[in-house]
Amino acid sequence: MTRRPIAAMLLFLAACSSAAQAATYEMFRDPYCGCCGLWADHVRDESEVAVKETVTEDMARIKQEHRIPQDLWGCHTMIVDGYIIEGHVPAEQIERLLAERPEGVRGIAVAGMPIGSPGMEMGERKQPYQVIAFGDEGRFVFASYD
């Protein structure tokens, strides 16, 4: 009798794992930006996912179509499982967003290009930055990095 609950639990865990892996990661980036590729590599390596890169010279249109607040704009935009990932967001925060799915959140963003954020590494130099969660009802600090 104990084998059935264990087998059911294993099937459930496998289904959850497959669902997480099934999410499509599509990054929109400018053809002239070098840090975007470095950030995509960070997401691929840390989350072990495939990242589709769509190159466009009209990033403002992409950001406006997805209603990203202009003060949160970064240099690239990613869409994952319906969520917006804007700028140099660490992969661990993308995974957290997908796991927690906070109510009212449409996406998370790191505004600008802070030195030391994924894709913007410059030796030991680091700037503090925040990952901001945003949605139609407002925004809040999702994570802080010193």
Side-chain angles (χ1 to χ4, degrees), residues 90-93 110 127-131 143-146:
E92 67 183 346
Q93 298 307 327
V110 170
Q127 293 177 308
Y129 66 94
Q130 295 179 323
V131 178
S144 292
Y145 290 84
D146 294 328

Side-chain angles (χ1 to χ4, degrees), residues 59-61 63-64 68-75 86-87 109-112:
M59 286 301 299
R61 180 184 58 79
K63 294 170 190 316
Q64 290 165 349
I68 302 167
Q70 193 167 5
D71 64 318
L72 295 179
W73 285 12
C75 62
E86 180 66 12
V110 170

Side-chain angles (χ1 to χ4, degrees), residues 11-89:
L11 285 172
F12 174 76
L13 291 173
C16 289
S17 176
S18 296
Q21 292 298 319
T24 301
Y25 290 63
E26 182 175 12
M27 179 182 74
F28 297 88
R29 68 173 184 85
D30 186 281
Y32 307 107
C33 184
C35 67
C36 297
L38 294 173
W39 180 77
D41 289 343
H42 161 78
V43 173
R44 285 183 188 104
D45 293 344
E46 294 298 316
S47 298
E48 298 179 352
V49 295
V51 175
K52 176 185 175 192
E53 295 186 35
T54 300
V55 178
T56 178
E57 291 189 19
D58 193 0
M59 286 301 299
R61 180 184 58 79
I62 298 295
K63 294 170 190 316
Q64 290 165 349
E65 282 179 3
H66 293 321
R67 301 182 347 239
I68 302 167
Q70 193 167 5
D71 64 318
L72 295 179
W73 285 12
C75 62
H76 47 263
T77 302
M78 178 181 277
I79 308 301
V80 181
D81 205 20
Y83 287 105
I84 301 155
I85 312 299
E86 180 66 12
H88 291 268
V89 174

